[in-house]
Structures are given as structure tokens and as C-alpha cells.
Short mmCIF file of all heavy atoms in Angstrom, two decimals:
data_model
loop_
_atom_site.label_atom_id
_atom_site.label_comp_id
_atom_site.label_asym_id
_atom_site.label_seq_id
_atom_site.Cartn_x
_atom_site.Cartn_y
_atom_site.Cartn_z
N ILE A 23 55.65 14.26 97.77
CA ILE A 23 56.41 15.49 98.22
C ILE A 23 55.80 16.18 99.26
O ILE A 23 56.40 16.51 100.31
CB ILE A 23 56.67 16.31 97.07
CG1 ILE A 23 57.55 15.69 96.05
CG2 ILE A 23 57.34 17.70 97.49
CD1 ILE A 23 57.76 16.45 94.70
N VAL A 24 54.46 16.34 99.23
CA VAL A 24 53.67 17.09 100.25
C VAL A 24 53.79 16.23 101.58
O VAL A 24 54.03 16.85 102.62
CB VAL A 24 52.24 17.28 99.86
CG1 VAL A 24 51.46 17.84 101.03
CG2 VAL A 24 52.11 18.23 98.73
N ILE A 25 53.62 14.94 101.54
CA ILE A 25 53.73 14.12 102.78
C ILE A 25 55.22 14.24 103.29
O ILE A 25 55.39 14.39 104.55
CB ILE A 25 53.45 12.62 102.41
CG1 ILE A 25 51.88 12.55 101.95
CG2 ILE A 25 53.75 11.69 103.62
CD1 ILE A 25 51.47 11.21 101.60
N ALA A 26 56.28 14.21 102.48
CA ALA A 26 57.58 14.18 102.92
C ALA A 26 57.87 15.58 103.48
O ALA A 26 58.52 15.66 104.61
CB ALA A 26 58.55 14.04 101.72
N VAL A 27 57.31 16.67 102.91
CA VAL A 27 57.53 17.98 103.51
C VAL A 27 56.81 18.13 104.91
O VAL A 27 57.35 18.64 105.77
CB VAL A 27 56.95 19.03 102.54
CG1 VAL A 27 57.00 20.40 103.33
CG2 VAL A 27 57.92 19.11 101.37
N ALA A 28 55.61 17.51 104.96
CA ALA A 28 54.88 17.52 106.31
C ALA A 28 55.65 16.77 107.36
O ALA A 28 55.74 17.24 108.49
CB ALA A 28 53.49 17.02 106.15
N ILE A 29 56.18 15.54 107.04
CA ILE A 29 56.90 14.85 107.95
C ILE A 29 58.13 15.53 108.39
O ILE A 29 58.50 15.57 109.57
CB ILE A 29 57.26 13.46 107.31
CG1 ILE A 29 55.96 12.59 107.16
CG2 ILE A 29 58.16 12.69 108.32
CD1 ILE A 29 56.18 11.26 106.43
N LEU A 30 58.80 16.20 107.42
CA LEU A 30 60.08 16.90 107.67
C LEU A 30 59.77 18.09 108.66
O LEU A 30 60.50 18.37 109.60
CB LEU A 30 60.77 17.31 106.51
CG LEU A 30 62.12 18.07 106.71
CD1 LEU A 30 63.17 17.20 107.34
CD2 LEU A 30 62.72 18.51 105.25
N ALA A 31 58.62 18.70 108.32
CA ALA A 31 58.32 19.95 109.13
C ALA A 31 57.96 19.53 110.56
O ALA A 31 58.32 20.24 111.51
CB ALA A 31 57.13 20.68 108.40
N SER A 32 57.31 18.46 110.70
CA SER A 32 56.95 17.93 112.09
C SER A 32 58.16 17.48 112.82
O SER A 32 58.18 17.38 114.09
CB SER A 32 55.93 16.90 112.08
OG SER A 32 56.33 15.80 111.29
N ALA A 33 59.36 17.05 112.12
CA ALA A 33 60.41 16.45 112.66
C ALA A 33 61.49 17.64 113.18
O ALA A 33 62.24 17.41 113.97
CB ALA A 33 61.16 15.69 111.86
N VAL A 34 61.19 18.84 112.54
CA VAL A 34 62.06 19.99 112.96
C VAL A 34 61.45 20.74 114.09
O VAL A 34 60.35 21.16 114.04
CB VAL A 34 62.33 20.78 111.77
CG1 VAL A 34 63.28 22.05 112.08
CG2 VAL A 34 63.03 20.04 110.61
N ASN A 35 62.31 20.90 115.20
CA ASN A 35 61.90 21.67 116.41
C ASN A 35 62.99 22.66 116.76
O ASN A 35 64.02 22.31 116.71
CB ASN A 35 61.48 20.89 117.49
CG ASN A 35 60.19 20.02 117.18
OD1 ASN A 35 59.14 20.36 117.41
ND2 ASN A 35 60.50 18.73 116.66
N ILE A 36 62.59 23.92 117.07
CA ILE A 36 63.55 24.95 117.44
C ILE A 36 63.20 25.30 118.81
O ILE A 36 62.17 25.76 119.12
CB ILE A 36 63.59 26.12 116.50
CG1 ILE A 36 63.92 25.75 115.05
CG2 ILE A 36 64.47 27.21 117.07
CD1 ILE A 36 63.89 26.92 114.09
N LEU A 37 64.19 25.16 119.73
CA LEU A 37 64.07 25.50 121.16
C LEU A 37 64.84 26.77 121.42
O LEU A 37 65.93 26.90 121.07
CB LEU A 37 64.56 24.39 122.05
CG LEU A 37 63.76 23.03 121.97
CD1 LEU A 37 64.44 21.98 122.83
CD2 LEU A 37 62.28 23.25 122.27
N ARG A 38 64.18 27.66 122.13
CA ARG A 38 64.78 28.98 122.59
C ARG A 38 65.79 28.71 123.72
O ARG A 38 65.96 27.59 124.24
CB ARG A 38 63.77 29.98 123.14
CG ARG A 38 62.72 30.31 122.03
CD ARG A 38 61.80 31.24 122.60
NE ARG A 38 60.79 31.78 121.67
CZ ARG A 38 59.68 31.14 121.39
NH1 ARG A 38 59.33 30.05 122.12
NH2 ARG A 38 58.82 31.57 120.46
N GLU A 39 66.69 29.67 123.97
CA GLU A 39 67.71 29.54 124.91
C GLU A 39 67.30 29.12 126.29
O GLU A 39 68.04 28.37 127.04
CB GLU A 39 68.62 30.90 125.04
CG GLU A 39 69.67 30.89 126.00
CD GLU A 39 70.88 29.90 125.46
OE1 GLU A 39 70.97 29.77 124.12
OE2 GLU A 39 71.48 29.34 126.33
N TYR A 40 66.15 29.57 126.72
CA TYR A 40 65.58 29.22 128.07
C TYR A 40 64.64 27.98 127.91
O TYR A 40 63.99 27.69 129.04
CB TYR A 40 64.82 30.32 128.58
CG TYR A 40 63.71 30.87 127.74
CD1 TYR A 40 62.34 30.27 127.77
CD2 TYR A 40 63.79 32.00 126.86
CE1 TYR A 40 61.33 30.72 126.83
CE2 TYR A 40 62.90 32.44 126.05
CZ TYR A 40 61.66 31.79 125.98
OH TYR A 40 60.62 32.25 125.19
N GLU A 41 64.62 27.29 126.89
CA GLU A 41 63.67 26.00 126.81
C GLU A 41 64.64 24.78 126.64
O GLU A 41 65.71 24.85 126.09
CB GLU A 41 62.78 26.17 125.54
CG GLU A 41 61.71 27.21 125.80
CD GLU A 41 60.89 27.24 124.43
OE1 GLU A 41 61.42 27.06 123.39
OE2 GLU A 41 59.68 27.58 124.65
N ARG A 42 64.12 23.67 127.22
CA ARG A 42 64.64 22.34 127.06
C ARG A 42 63.59 21.43 126.49
O ARG A 42 62.34 21.57 126.92
CB ARG A 42 65.42 21.81 128.26
CG ARG A 42 66.52 22.75 128.72
CD ARG A 42 67.64 22.70 127.77
NE ARG A 42 68.76 23.48 128.33
CZ ARG A 42 68.94 24.76 128.13
NH1 ARG A 42 68.21 25.50 127.47
NH2 ARG A 42 70.02 25.39 128.67
N GLY A 43 63.95 20.40 125.77
CA GLY A 43 63.02 19.36 125.33
C GLY A 43 63.23 17.98 125.95
O GLY A 43 64.32 17.49 125.78
N VAL A 44 62.17 17.52 126.60
CA VAL A 44 62.34 16.11 127.23
C VAL A 44 61.76 15.10 126.08
O VAL A 44 60.58 15.22 125.67
CB VAL A 44 61.51 16.08 128.54
CG1 VAL A 44 61.61 14.68 129.07
CG2 VAL A 44 61.93 17.12 129.47
N VAL A 45 62.58 14.24 125.54
CA VAL A 45 62.34 13.47 124.42
C VAL A 45 61.96 12.04 124.91
O VAL A 45 62.71 11.52 125.79
CB VAL A 45 63.51 13.44 123.40
CG1 VAL A 45 63.20 12.54 122.25
CG2 VAL A 45 63.84 14.88 123.01
N PHE A 46 60.93 11.55 124.25
CA PHE A 46 60.45 10.27 124.60
C PHE A 46 60.46 9.45 123.31
O PHE A 46 59.80 9.98 122.32
CB PHE A 46 59.06 10.20 125.28
CG PHE A 46 58.91 10.85 126.55
CD1 PHE A 46 58.82 12.04 126.69
CD2 PHE A 46 59.19 10.02 127.69
CE1 PHE A 46 58.73 12.77 128.02
CE2 PHE A 46 59.05 10.57 129.00
CZ PHE A 46 58.84 11.95 129.03
N THR A 47 61.01 8.28 123.22
CA THR A 47 61.09 7.45 122.06
C THR A 47 60.32 6.16 122.32
O THR A 47 60.68 5.34 123.19
CB THR A 47 62.53 7.06 121.66
OG1 THR A 47 63.25 8.26 121.47
CG2 THR A 47 62.59 6.18 120.40
N LEU A 48 59.06 6.14 121.60
CA LEU A 48 58.25 4.97 121.85
C LEU A 48 57.89 4.87 123.23
O LEU A 48 57.65 3.79 123.90
CB LEU A 48 58.91 3.62 121.36
CG LEU A 48 59.06 3.56 119.90
CD1 LEU A 48 59.83 2.20 119.56
CD2 LEU A 48 57.87 3.62 118.92
N GLY A 49 57.60 6.13 123.85
CA GLY A 49 57.07 6.23 125.23
C GLY A 49 58.14 6.04 126.23
O GLY A 49 57.92 6.34 127.46
N ARG A 50 59.45 5.87 125.91
CA ARG A 50 60.46 5.73 126.94
C ARG A 50 61.41 7.09 126.84
O ARG A 50 61.64 7.47 125.76
CB ARG A 50 61.33 4.52 126.66
CG ARG A 50 60.68 3.20 126.86
CD ARG A 50 61.54 2.02 126.62
NE ARG A 50 62.52 1.99 127.69
CZ ARG A 50 62.36 1.44 128.89
NH1 ARG A 50 61.16 0.81 129.18
NH2 ARG A 50 63.32 1.46 129.81
N PHE A 51 61.77 7.56 128.06
CA PHE A 51 62.52 8.67 128.14
C PHE A 51 63.99 8.41 127.58
O PHE A 51 64.55 7.46 127.89
CB PHE A 51 62.77 9.13 129.64
CG PHE A 51 63.67 10.12 129.84
CD1 PHE A 51 63.43 11.45 129.42
CD2 PHE A 51 65.09 9.80 130.43
CE1 PHE A 51 64.43 12.45 129.64
CE2 PHE A 51 65.91 10.92 130.67
CZ PHE A 51 65.69 12.15 130.29
N THR A 52 64.39 9.30 126.62
CA THR A 52 65.63 9.04 125.87
C THR A 52 66.61 10.30 126.07
O THR A 52 67.76 10.21 125.54
CB THR A 52 65.49 8.82 124.45
OG1 THR A 52 64.62 9.75 123.94
CG2 THR A 52 64.74 7.37 124.17
N GLY A 53 66.09 11.34 126.81
CA GLY A 53 67.17 12.39 126.91
C GLY A 53 66.55 13.69 126.94
O GLY A 53 65.28 13.98 126.70
N VAL A 54 67.36 14.74 127.41
CA VAL A 54 66.95 16.22 127.24
C VAL A 54 67.77 16.84 126.28
O VAL A 54 68.96 16.67 126.20
CB VAL A 54 67.08 16.83 128.77
CG1 VAL A 54 66.76 18.22 128.61
CG2 VAL A 54 66.30 16.13 129.72
N LYS A 55 67.13 17.60 125.29
CA LYS A 55 67.70 18.23 124.22
C LYS A 55 67.47 19.74 124.12
O LYS A 55 66.52 20.18 124.88
CB LYS A 55 67.37 17.59 122.90
CG LYS A 55 67.57 16.25 122.61
CD LYS A 55 67.25 15.74 121.32
CE LYS A 55 67.59 14.22 121.13
NZ LYS A 55 68.92 13.87 121.20
N GLY A 56 68.31 20.52 123.62
CA GLY A 56 68.17 21.95 123.45
C GLY A 56 69.18 22.67 124.25
O GLY A 56 70.04 22.09 124.92
N PRO A 57 69.29 24.04 123.86
CA PRO A 57 68.47 24.73 122.93
C PRO A 57 69.02 24.63 121.48
O PRO A 57 69.98 24.08 121.34
CB PRO A 57 68.49 26.18 123.51
CG PRO A 57 69.92 26.22 124.07
CD PRO A 57 70.19 24.90 124.67
N GLY A 58 68.23 25.18 120.53
CA GLY A 58 68.63 25.23 119.23
C GLY A 58 67.77 24.31 118.31
O GLY A 58 66.55 24.07 118.68
N LEU A 59 68.33 23.80 117.28
CA LEU A 59 67.60 22.95 116.33
C LEU A 59 67.48 21.50 116.87
O LEU A 59 68.60 20.93 117.04
CB LEU A 59 68.24 23.03 114.95
CG LEU A 59 67.59 22.15 113.80
CD1 LEU A 59 66.21 22.69 113.58
CD2 LEU A 59 68.44 22.28 112.51
N ILE A 60 66.26 20.93 116.83
CA ILE A 60 66.17 19.55 117.34
C ILE A 60 65.38 18.77 116.14
O ILE A 60 64.34 19.26 115.76
CB ILE A 60 65.34 19.55 118.59
CG1 ILE A 60 65.93 20.39 119.67
CG2 ILE A 60 65.29 18.06 119.07
CD1 ILE A 60 67.40 19.99 120.09
N LEU A 61 65.95 17.59 115.87
CA LEU A 61 65.24 16.83 114.84
C LEU A 61 64.75 15.58 115.52
O LEU A 61 65.51 14.85 116.20
CB LEU A 61 66.30 16.34 113.75
CG LEU A 61 66.73 17.56 112.84
CD1 LEU A 61 67.86 16.99 111.82
CD2 LEU A 61 65.75 18.23 112.15
#
């Protein structure tokens, strides 16, 4: 349970209105996300 909670906590990201997230999947660019809740 502790490991699952830690993984879930690291998977959840919250971006402010003036922020954007540049996402890389296995090192490759996969898109820009935000603002709001990002998994």
C-alpha cells in the first residue's frame, strides 16, 4: 500500500494557470499538458 501510494503521489502533478508541462515518454517528446491536474 505504501509503495502504491508513493507511486500514485509521484504520478499526480498540479500545474498552475501560468505553467505548462513538457512531457517526455521514455525520453521522447509526447506533448505539452496543463494547466490543472496531470497524471
Side-chain angles (χ1 to χ4, degrees):
I23 292 173
V24 171
I25 294 175
V27 171
I29 293 175
L30 181 61
S32 63
V34 176
N35 296 270
I36 298 177
L37 298 179
R38 297 180 179 88
E39 182 65 32
Y40 55 82
E41 292 180 326
R42 297 295 183 271
V44 181
V45 180
F46 297 89
T47 303
L48 296 177
R50 297 183 63 86
F51 171 70
T52 55
V54 178
K55 298 183 180 296
L59 179 63
I60 307 298
L61 297 177

